[in-house]
Short mmCIF file of all heavy atoms in Angstrom, two decimals:
data_model
loop_
_atom_site.label_atom_id
_atom_site.label_comp_id
_atom_site.label_asym_id
_atom_site.label_seq_id
_atom_site.Cartn_x
_atom_site.Cartn_y
_atom_site.Cartn_z
N VAL A 1124 63.59 9.70 -26.02
CA VAL A 1124 64.92 9.14 -26.46
C VAL A 1124 64.66 7.80 -27.14
O VAL A 1124 65.35 7.42 -28.09
CB VAL A 1124 65.88 9.16 -25.29
CG1 VAL A 1124 67.06 8.31 -25.68
CG2 VAL A 1124 66.34 10.52 -24.95
N SER A 1125 63.70 7.07 -26.64
CA SER A 1125 63.44 5.70 -27.27
C SER A 1125 62.70 5.77 -28.57
O SER A 1125 62.80 4.87 -29.39
CB SER A 1125 62.73 4.90 -26.27
OG SER A 1125 61.34 5.25 -26.17
N VAL A 1126 61.95 6.81 -28.89
CA VAL A 1126 61.22 6.92 -30.14
C VAL A 1126 61.77 7.83 -31.16
O VAL A 1126 61.53 7.67 -32.40
CB VAL A 1126 59.68 7.14 -29.94
CG1 VAL A 1126 59.04 6.13 -29.10
CG2 VAL A 1126 59.48 8.56 -29.31
N ILE A 1127 62.52 8.87 -30.83
CA ILE A 1127 63.11 9.78 -31.79
C ILE A 1127 64.43 9.33 -32.27
O ILE A 1127 65.36 9.29 -31.51
CB ILE A 1127 63.18 11.21 -31.16
CG1 ILE A 1127 61.82 11.75 -30.74
CG2 ILE A 1127 63.74 12.22 -32.20
CD1 ILE A 1127 61.83 12.96 -29.94
N PRO A 1128 64.62 9.02 -33.62
CA PRO A 1128 65.90 8.53 -34.04
C PRO A 1128 67.05 9.32 -33.74
O PRO A 1128 68.12 8.76 -33.31
CB PRO A 1128 65.69 8.46 -35.51
CG PRO A 1128 64.18 8.26 -35.74
CD PRO A 1128 63.58 9.03 -34.60
N CYS A 1129 66.98 10.71 -33.77
CA CYS A 1129 68.18 11.49 -33.69
C CYS A 1129 68.45 11.89 -32.23
O CYS A 1129 69.54 12.40 -31.86
CB CYS A 1129 68.13 12.83 -34.47
SG CYS A 1129 67.08 14.08 -33.66
N ALA A 1130 67.54 11.45 -31.34
CA ALA A 1130 67.61 11.99 -29.85
C ALA A 1130 68.37 11.00 -28.94
O ALA A 1130 67.81 10.04 -28.53
CB ALA A 1130 66.24 12.22 -29.45
N GLU A 1131 69.62 11.46 -28.68
CA GLU A 1131 70.34 10.77 -27.65
C GLU A 1131 70.05 11.50 -26.33
O GLU A 1131 70.18 10.99 -25.25
CB GLU A 1131 71.81 10.86 -27.90
CG GLU A 1131 72.21 9.93 -29.10
CD GLU A 1131 73.64 10.15 -29.57
OE1 GLU A 1131 74.24 11.23 -29.36
OE2 GLU A 1131 74.23 9.13 -30.07
N ARG A 1132 69.74 12.77 -26.43
CA ARG A 1132 69.39 13.60 -25.25
C ARG A 1132 68.23 14.60 -25.60
O ARG A 1132 67.96 14.80 -26.83
CB ARG A 1132 70.53 14.44 -24.76
CG ARG A 1132 71.77 13.74 -24.39
CD ARG A 1132 72.30 14.27 -23.13
NE ARG A 1132 73.73 14.06 -22.96
CZ ARG A 1132 74.33 12.86 -22.72
NH1 ARG A 1132 73.59 11.80 -22.71
NH2 ARG A 1132 75.63 12.84 -22.59
N ILE A 1133 67.52 15.07 -24.60
CA ILE A 1133 66.43 15.91 -24.73
C ILE A 1133 66.57 17.18 -24.03
O ILE A 1133 67.14 17.20 -22.90
CB ILE A 1133 65.16 15.17 -24.14
CG1 ILE A 1133 64.77 13.84 -24.93
CG2 ILE A 1133 63.92 16.09 -24.16
CD1 ILE A 1133 64.35 14.10 -26.36
N ILE A 1134 66.11 18.26 -24.58
CA ILE A 1134 65.90 19.51 -23.78
C ILE A 1134 64.46 19.83 -23.82
O ILE A 1134 63.80 19.93 -24.86
CB ILE A 1134 66.57 20.76 -24.49
CG1 ILE A 1134 68.06 20.56 -24.68
CG2 ILE A 1134 66.31 22.02 -23.77
CD1 ILE A 1134 68.68 21.48 -25.65
N PHE A 1135 63.88 20.10 -22.65
CA PHE A 1135 62.46 20.49 -22.69
C PHE A 1135 62.28 22.08 -22.86
O PHE A 1135 63.21 22.86 -22.33
CB PHE A 1135 61.78 20.17 -21.42
CG PHE A 1135 61.38 18.64 -21.38
CD1 PHE A 1135 61.97 17.79 -20.53
CD2 PHE A 1135 60.55 18.18 -22.33
CE1 PHE A 1135 61.66 16.49 -20.51
CE2 PHE A 1135 60.24 16.78 -22.38
CZ PHE A 1135 60.80 15.96 -21.46
N THR A 1136 61.23 22.46 -23.52
CA THR A 1136 60.92 23.90 -23.76
C THR A 1136 59.45 24.05 -23.42
O THR A 1136 58.73 22.99 -23.06
CB THR A 1136 61.16 24.36 -25.16
OG1 THR A 1136 60.18 23.63 -26.01
CG2 THR A 1136 62.56 23.92 -25.62
N THR A 1137 58.91 25.22 -23.57
CA THR A 1137 57.48 25.43 -23.38
C THR A 1137 56.72 25.46 -24.71
O THR A 1137 55.65 25.02 -24.76
CB THR A 1137 57.18 26.81 -22.64
OG1 THR A 1137 58.04 26.80 -21.41
CG2 THR A 1137 55.77 26.82 -22.20
N THR A 1138 57.44 25.92 -25.74
CA THR A 1138 56.81 26.02 -27.02
C THR A 1138 57.67 25.45 -28.15
O THR A 1138 58.90 25.28 -27.92
CB THR A 1138 56.48 27.49 -27.44
OG1 THR A 1138 57.80 28.12 -27.59
CG2 THR A 1138 55.70 28.15 -26.37
N GLY A 1139 57.12 25.29 -29.33
CA GLY A 1139 57.91 24.90 -30.44
C GLY A 1139 58.82 25.99 -31.01
O GLY A 1139 59.91 25.73 -31.39
N SER A 1140 58.39 27.26 -30.77
CA SER A 1140 59.26 28.35 -31.13
C SER A 1140 60.56 28.39 -30.35
O SER A 1140 61.67 28.49 -30.89
CB SER A 1140 58.56 29.70 -30.92
OG SER A 1140 57.40 29.81 -31.70
N GLU A 1141 60.40 28.11 -29.00
CA GLU A 1141 61.55 28.09 -28.18
C GLU A 1141 62.49 26.95 -28.61
O GLU A 1141 63.73 27.01 -28.74
CB GLU A 1141 61.28 27.77 -26.80
CG GLU A 1141 61.20 28.91 -25.86
CD GLU A 1141 60.82 28.51 -24.50
OE1 GLU A 1141 59.81 27.71 -24.37
OE2 GLU A 1141 61.46 28.83 -23.55
N ALA A 1142 61.86 25.79 -29.07
CA ALA A 1142 62.68 24.68 -29.49
C ALA A 1142 63.50 24.94 -30.73
O ALA A 1142 64.68 24.64 -30.79
CB ALA A 1142 61.70 23.46 -29.73
N THR A 1143 62.87 25.59 -31.76
CA THR A 1143 63.63 26.04 -32.88
C THR A 1143 64.79 27.08 -32.56
O THR A 1143 65.79 26.98 -33.13
CB THR A 1143 62.82 26.51 -34.10
OG1 THR A 1143 62.21 27.74 -33.73
CG2 THR A 1143 61.76 25.47 -34.45
N SER A 1144 64.42 27.98 -31.66
CA SER A 1144 65.48 28.95 -31.29
C SER A 1144 66.62 28.34 -30.65
O SER A 1144 67.77 28.70 -30.92
CB SER A 1144 64.86 30.12 -30.56
OG SER A 1144 64.64 29.79 -29.24
N TYR A 1145 66.35 27.37 -29.83
CA TYR A 1145 67.44 26.68 -29.18
C TYR A 1145 68.30 25.76 -30.08
O TYR A 1145 69.47 25.76 -30.05
CB TYR A 1145 66.88 25.71 -28.05
CG TYR A 1145 66.39 26.38 -26.80
CD1 TYR A 1145 65.53 25.64 -25.95
CD2 TYR A 1145 66.80 27.65 -26.46
CE1 TYR A 1145 65.09 26.29 -24.80
CE2 TYR A 1145 66.29 28.27 -25.24
CZ TYR A 1145 65.54 27.61 -24.44
OH TYR A 1145 65.01 28.20 -23.34
#
Side-chain angles (χ1 to χ4, degrees):
V1124 165
S1125 75
V1126 298
I1127 299 173
C1129 78
E1131 293 172 329
R1132 297 226 207 292
I1133 296 293
I1134 299 166
F1135 283 116
T1136 69
T1137 311
T1138 65
S1140 299
E1141 262 182 310
T1143 65
S1144 78
Y1145 287 160

